[in-house]
Amino acid sequence: MKLAKRMANLGTETAFEVLARAKALEAEGRDVIHLEIGEPDFDTPSNVVEAGARAMRSGFTHYTPSAGMPVLREAIALDVSRTRGIPVHADEVVVCPGAKPIMFFSVLALVDEGDEVVYPNPGFPIYESMIRFVGAKPVPVRLPEEKDFRLDVDGLIASLTPRTRLVILNSPQNPTGGVLETSDLDRIAKAVQGLPECWVLSDEIYRRILYAPGEHPSIAARAGMRERTIVLDGFSKSFAMTGWRLGYGVMPKDLAAHVSRLMTNSNSCTATFTQVAGVEALQGDQASVEKMVGEFSKRRDAIVKGLNSVKGFRCRTPLGAFYVFPNVTGTGKGSKPLQDLLLQEVGVACLAGTSFGANGEGYLRFSYANSLERIEAAVERMRKLLGAA
Ligand code: PLP
């Protein structure tokens, strides 16, 4: 088959490939413990499910404006204003089927061939995929383990050039659980403002899965940053709504009009009943979100302790999201061979650090979106295979 040349530059997300392999093993009768996929194992809160079902029965089954239903855009604007401490108007919000399209659309709308994009590596694989797809130059920034995977801010600032068109930030971070501090954001904001045409895409999808009290700070709230920041957020992680496909971007109104045009060209709009459910998620009872984060916190402690008891593993305690990123160099095995070995030999599905970029070599990512019992069983299996520390 002759494909268009640009397809050679398009990457992927290997979590879905590992999941498929794990499912194939299960079909052969093997017991696999799933610690590979990045989705909460909790049910969508029942008030949200009810709102979605009611919406379908009440006729919310037709197109909406491409940028989203006014009622949801307003609810998002209110929520973002409150949580980030910045005034946001509904016409600065674009609703999408999941938050992922905001990555694609931001890069398509702002980045030309030959431009540079600074992004975290290891990081969510779709960033690098999008950067390469449009023919831009990916400029990776490290996340040092010894600093609990806080992005290397000095490295980021040193990598900015007049060609830098976009800086991608993600905090709390996938795959490391690293969290940026207000002082980091202040420094990045100052440096970015020294460049006339540089934007920031701030991926805040794990904002509510934070193990310290208080709100996660946003770079959009730093002086002078509103007009050059796209805040990416959504419902997948906070409300266990991965399959509903509901996310959004908050950006200056002029850019929102162009991103809406990309929505018109691709999806037309986001599913209507999903949007109605999104209003309930934001405005209804928040107890289930708090309960979920409390549960994740217990699992985090258990998995960190467990992984540190496996020979050759060294694991920091992450500050946010629901992933751990142990250093596995002590096993003497590469990330990918170890990922394959764990799945094949003991039925533990996880991801090689290299699934998140070249700087992930020497690490594995485990998602702790699974029960405490299964997490403990996975640790036991790995200890049997690799030995106890
Ligand atoms: N951003 C990060 C860092 C993620 O890990 C994910 C999903 O795994 C997303 C964005 C996309 O979320 P959604 O399911 O809403 O498209």
Side-chain angles (χ1 to χ4, degrees), residues 98-100 103 124 127 170 174 203 205-206 236-237 245:
K100 225 180 208 176
M103 289 169 205
F124 191 54
Y127 306 145
N170 175 213
N174 178 8
D203 184 340
I205 194 111
Y206 296 102
S236 294
K237 317 288 174 176
R245 309 311 300 136

Side-chain angles (χ1 to χ4, degrees), residues 211 296-305 317-319 368:
Y211 305 109
F296 275 144
S297 173
K298 282 188 226 149
R299 295 173 183 183
R300 173 190 69 150
D301 295 343
I303 199 166
V304 168
K305 186 160 170 247
T317 302
L319 303 174
Y368 45 93

Side-chain angles (χ1 to χ4, degrees), residues 172-179 206 208-211 296 300 318-323 368:
Q173 209 242 3
N174 178 8
T176 65
V179 170
Y206 296 102
R208 292 190 73 174
I209 306 170
L210 185 69
Y211 305 109
F296 275 144
R300 173 190 69 150
L319 303 174
F322 45 81
Y323 309 110
Y368 45 93

Side-chain angles (χ1 to χ4, degrees), residues 190-315:
K190 198 162 162 237
V192 163
Q193 286 177 66
L195 300 170
E197 301 287 352
C198 185
W199 284 76
V200 171
L201 172 64
S202 179
D203 184 340
E204 302 177 8
I205 194 111
Y206 296 102
R207 183 184 68 81
R208 292 190 73 174
I209 306 170
L210 185 69
Y211 305 109
E215 291 288 350
H216 187 277
S218 174
I219 194 159
R222 309 298 113 200
M225 288 306 291
R226 277 291 316 284
E227 35 289 303
R228 46 167 90 216
T229 302
I230 302 151
V231 173
L232 174 155
D233 202 346
F235 297 73
S236 294
K237 317 288 174 176
S238 303
F239 299 100
M241 289 177 74
T242 44
W244 293 71
R245 309 311 300 136
L246 188 62
Y248 57 87
V250 176
M251 63 203 83
K253 188 176 149 197
D254 293 352
L255 180 62
H258 295 292
V259 171
S260 301
R261 201 150 51 95
L262 284 162
M263 268 297 289
T264 308
N265 275 269
S266 51
N267 299 287
S268 293
C269 69
T270 305
T272 312
F273 43 88
T274 293
Q275 294 189 55
V276 175
V279 176
E280 174 62 24
L282 288 179
Q283 296 180 344
D285 186 7
Q286 301 296 302
S288 50
V289 183
E290 283 142 30
K291 196 161 157 241
M292 179 177 78
V293 177
E295 191 56 38
F296 275 144
S297 173
K298 282 188 226 149
R299 295 173 183 183
R300 173 190 69 150
D301 295 343
I303 199 166
V304 168
K305 186 160 170 247
L307 291 174
N308 278 315
S309 75
V310 178
K311 194 170 167 200
F313 283 23
R314 185 176 78 205
C315 186

Side-chain angles (χ1 to χ4, degrees), residues 124-197:
F124 191 54
I126 303 306
Y127 306 145
E128 189 174 323
S129 172
M130 290 299 104
I131 299 165
R132 291 192 187 280
F133 190 63
V134 299
K137 181 179 165 199
V139 181
V141 180
R142 289 181 174 274
L143 295 102
E145 178 187 345
E146 61 280 8
K147 288 191 174 166
D148 285 323
F149 300 108
R150 232 169 97 195
L151 189 79
D152 172 13
V153 175
D154 290 325
L156 182 149
I157 292 171
S159 68
L160 298 175
T161 78
R163 301 225 57 156
T164 311
R165 193 73 171 104
L166 184 67
V167 172
I168 302 178
L169 300 177
N170 175 213
S171 178
Q173 209 242 3
N174 178 8
T176 65
V179 170
L180 280 165
E181 294 184 1
T182 306
S183 58
D184 299 326
L185 297 174
D186 284 337
R187 291 183 61 212
I188 296 168
K190 198 162 162 237
V192 163
Q193 286 177 66
L195 300 170
E197 301 287 352

